[in-house]
Amino acid sequence: MRNILDRIGDKWTMLVLMALAVEPRRFGMLMRVVPDISKRMLTQTLRLLERDGLITRHVFATTPPSVEYRLSPLGCSVLEPLHALAQWAEANFASITFARARYDDGLGRTDP
Amino acid sequence: MRNILDRIGDKWTMLVLMALAVEPRRFGMLMRVVPDISKRMLTQTLRLLERDGLITRHVFATTPPSVEYRLSPLGCSVLEPLHALAQWAEANFASITFARARYDDGLGRTDP
DNA sequence: CGGAATCCCAGTTGATACTG
DNA sequence: CAGTATCAACTGGGATTCCG
């Protein structure tokens, strides 16, 4: 079970899942949409997600070849808890930023 | 915002938060409860959580000294989305394990 | 275009020892 | 007990290169 959360909690996994939540996307498009991900990491992330059955891979024998990735039903089902977390992060962004700033000013230990 | 999710998605953060969700705990107790965490990593994780205002640190001037950590209101509020994710992981553990096994047997690409 | 293989550095982590 | 300090080891991931 730790394995599963580790995969979801991975640096890129959430971002890729979010990107695929919008619509199915091709490899190159994912590269453009997910900020700062390298080709290597994108490939790896996609493989692991495919392995876990969260996404499916569809090859089109065009020239040049194109590969489309889309969320499986299982992949869709994880979006709910994921969005809940993202919403929490957004809602508490200010509080956390403030807490960090205060802590970094050395005032963390003095009770407010 | 990526910063926040990165912190939550960290390997140990979730486990520590879950452990503190049960009840406030002292350092040594956390070491025992969180599997395989090293003293070093526990210290670091606690510092970062304290910095973000998710937990509070209470020192008791006993001999030997004891330090108790507990969730702040902000820390409590993150438990809901976190549990949602944990529940998802538990509910789909079997499916994912099965998907992995099939993929590792080289049957991942042949449509079912 | 999509992806595999190789190289290689930088940052993370674990072990160990020391302190208040 | 609850850390801090130091160093070695490991690993992730970027850059690069090549292939179908």
Side-chain angles (χ1 to χ4, degrees):
Chain A
M1 159 144 174
R2 289 261 298 279
N3 303 314
I4 296 179
L5 291 181
D6 278 6
R7 178 95 355 113
I8 302 295
D10 178 74
K11 183 177 179 184
W12 301 112
T13 301
M14 272 194 278
L15 296 169
V16 170
L17 285 177
M18 301 293 225
L20 291 177
V22 181
E23 59 180 341
R25 290 186 196 272
R26 292 175 42 197
F27 188 89
M29 183 55 67
L30 284 170
M31 283 284 296
R32 272 169 247 128
V33 166
V34 180
D36 295 330
I37 195 171
S38 69
K39 191 187 291 191
R40 191 181 190 286
M41 281 299 97
L42 180 55
T43 301
Q44 187 177 112
T45 303
L46 290 170
R47 285 293 166 279
L48 291 173
L49 286 174
E50 190 193 359
R51 184 170 102 107
D52 286 359
L54 295 181
I55 64 176
T56 55
R57 184 171 177 272
H58 306 272
V59 181
F60 299 98
T62 57
T63 50
S66 69
V67 181
E68 188 183 79
Y69 295 91
R70 57 177 64 207
L71 293 177
S72 71
L74 190 58
C76 282
S77 75
V78 80
L79 287 179
E80 282 205 37
L82 231 50
H83 274 120
L85 223 141
Q87 280 186 330
W88 180 91
E90 190 175 4
N92 299 96
F93 176 78
S95 304
I96 293 180
T97 303
F98 182 70
R100 281 185 194 175
R102 198 182 51 168
Y103 185 93
D104 292 346
D105 282 352
L107 305 171
R109 278 79 168 202
T110 73
D111 38 12
Chain B
M1 160 147 173
R2 288 257 300 275
N3 303 312
I4 297 179
L5 292 181
D6 278 5
R7 177 95 354 113
I8 302 294
D10 178 75
K11 183 177 179 184
W12 301 113
T13 301
M14 273 193 278
L15 297 168
V16 170
L17 286 176
M18 301 293 228
L20 291 177
V22 181
E23 58 179 343
R25 291 186 196 273
R26 293 173 43 194
F27 188 90
M29 183 55 68
L30 284 170
M31 282 283 296
R32 272 169 247 126
V33 166
V34 180
D36 294 332
I37 195 170
S38 69
K39 191 185 291 189
R40 197 169 128 72
M41 281 298 98
L42 180 55
T43 301
Q44 187 177 111
T45 303
L46 290 170
R47 286 292 167 279
L48 291 173
L49 286 174
E50 189 194 0
R51 184 171 102 107
D52 285 359
L54 295 181
I55 65 176
T56 56
R57 184 171 177 271
H58 305 273
V59 181
F60 299 98
T62 58
T63 50
S66 67
V67 181
E68 187 183 80
Y69 294 92
R70 57 176 65 206
L71 293 177
S72 70
L74 190 57
C76 282
S77 75
V78 81
L79 286 179
E80 282 205 37
L82 231 49
H83 273 120
L85 224 143
Q87 280 185 329
W88 179 91
E90 190 176 3
N92 298 96
F93 176 77
S95 303
I96 292 180
T97 303
F98 182 69
R100 282 183 193 177
R102 199 182 50 168
Y103 186 93
D104 292 345
D105 281 351
L107 305 171
R109 280 77 168 203
T110 73
D111 39 9

